[in-house]
Amino acid sequence: LFLTGFLFSACGVSRQLQQSAQTTVLSDSSLRAAHVGISIYEPATGKWWYNHQGDKYFVPASNTKIVTSYAAMKYLGDSLVAGRFAVNEEGRLLVFPSGDPTFLHPEFRYQPLFQKMKGFKNILLATDGWRDQRWGSGWSWNDYDAAYMAERSVLPVYGNVATFSLVGNVLQAIPFSVPVRGAQVIGYDPFTRQVKDKAFSVERGLDDDTFFLQQAKTPFTRASIPLRTDIGLVSALLEDTLQAEVVPSSVAPGYEYSPKTTVIYSQPTDSLLKPLMHRSDNFFAEQ
């Protein structure tokens, strides 16, 4: 009797799922032309509760972040590694970045690596360990200037995005020292960042670190555009902020690594994974 009741219960659940999927998803007018698959599997019994086109091929999209999140929880530990550091005999700070996406990110006030840098006037960024590319494989990069397409880098800053806003007649930027041009277009003053004509847009070239102001038909309000993640730009931004000499290892041949380095941690791992999953953050997932 128990077995019979269980089988009837299982069949009932499967029917309910089928009816729900048909009513809620498959009959939805916005999805009728879409390629839809639904698979609900119970590992404990090895049974499929419901399977609709589960054997079809689909283009992986943000659902791959589920696997990314799982891998991060398994391998990154409780806290993110901001990097490693050492101090050489000359008193120069050697920083070995780890690609931590929270470095100088406006959503994370706790910045131990940046605080460590503040105590030195000479800093070398040892970036030789970076073996990846700024763009991930499989992305469509024709929208490279969209905020959700931030590039990957060995030492991200500000989420690898520059944010522009207009306050009165002053164009404000975070980070402030990103290069901006366009004075000949709208009477832009590069020193005070004042604009005479508020009808403009902010744009960036594909392989350029410089942002340009272009005339537009509508007034500018706010824009977030990915930074070109060149380590030279990052070094310049840090120099401006820290008031220190910051040199990447690519332009400092002959320096020696210290055999003794200290790991420095930044955020709890779950504080990064929560926004990654909540808003499907591409930049966090890629880093």
Side-chain angles (χ1 to χ4, degrees):
L1 289 175
F2 174 77
L3 181 60
T4 302
F6 176 78
L7 291 174
F8 273 112
S9 175
C11 292
V13 172
S14 296
R15 281 197 300 269
Q16 290 176 18
L17 288 171
Q18 183 176 1
Q19 292 173 1
S20 178
Q22 188 66 41
T23 303
T24 308
V25 179
L26 301 178
S27 298
D28 191 305
S29 59
S30 61
L31 296 176
R32 285 175 184 170
H35 192 29
V36 179
I38 304 172
S39 294
I40 302 176
Y41 177 76
E42 185 182 46
T45 60
K47 301 293 184 181
W48 290 96
W49 288 109
Y50 180 67
N51 198 353
H52 173 76
Q53 297 199 131
D55 58 342
K56 304 295 183 181
Y57 289 114
F58 290 83
V59 177
S62 286
N63 53 3
T64 59
K65 292 187 177 72
I66 299 173
V67 182
T68 301
S69 183
Y70 168 77
M73 288 188 289
K74 184 174 182 179
Y75 293 108
L76 293 184
D78 293 335
S79 298
L80 299 174
V81 175
R84 294 177 293 120
F85 70 89
V87 180
N88 66 11
E89 295 178 353
E90 291 79 24
R92 169 184 276 184
L93 177 68
L94 306 180
V95 177
F96 302 80
S98 68
D100 178 9
T102 70
F103 182 66
L104 295 185
H105 196 290
E107 294 182 17
F108 299 90
R109 297 182 63 184
Y110 180 56
Q111 295 290 333
L113 179 58
F114 182 71
Q115 291 299 322
K116 184 69 180 179
M117 291 180 176
K118 277 186 173 181
F120 293 84
K121 289 299 181 182
N122 292 281
I123 301 171
L124 185 136
L125 303 177
T127 59
D128 299 358
W130 176 250
R131 294 288 184 270
D132 222 323
Q133 303 296 323
R134 60 187 174 114
W135 286 345
S137 177
W139 285 101
S140 176
W141 288 106
N142 59 326
D143 50 353
Y144 70 93
D145 56 351
Y148 58 86
M149 300 295 272
E151 301 175 7
R152 301 183 297 189
S153 68
V154 61
L155 183 59
V157 290
Y158 302 97
N160 281 351
V161 171
T163 301
F164 300 89
S165 58
L166 191 61
V167 180
N169 290 325
V170 178
L171 181 66
Q172 296 184 347
I174 300 175
F176 175 77
S177 53
V178 294
V180 183
R181 300 290 182 268
Q184 73 281 9
V185 177
I186 59 171
Y188 171 73
D189 184 342
F191 298 101
T192 62
R193 299 206 174 202
Q194 290 185 348
V195 295
K196 298 178 181 178
D197 185 353
K198 295 184 179 181
F200 66 90
S201 63
V202 182
E203 301 176 9
R204 197 208 84 192
L206 180 65
D207 292 308
D208 205 310
D209 291 326
T210 303
F211 294 87
F212 296 90
L213 304 186
Q214 303 289 353
Q215 286 180 320
K217 295 181 179 179
T218 58
F220 176 82
T221 54
R222 183 181 176 89
S224 295
I225 304 174
L227 289 164
R228 174 69 175 83
T229 54
D230 179 80
I231 191 61
L233 173 64
V234 173
S235 299
L237 293 175
L238 288 174
E239 277 195 342
D240 183 72
T241 303
L242 295 168
Q243 295 297 299
E245 180 187 33
V246 182
V247 179
S249 56
S250 58
V251 296
Y255 77 93
E256 295 183 359
Y257 286 104
S258 171
K260 295 182 179 180
T261 59
T262 302
V263 174
I264 186 167
Y265 295 92
S266 60
Q267 322 301 326
T269 301
D270 56 6
S271 69
L272 177 72
L273 297 183
K274 182 177 180 180
L276 184 156
M277 297 301 294
H278 180 72
R279 63 173 179 248
S280 190
D281 192 295
N282 293 336
F283 173 63
F284 287 172
E286 288 286 344
Q287 289 295 137

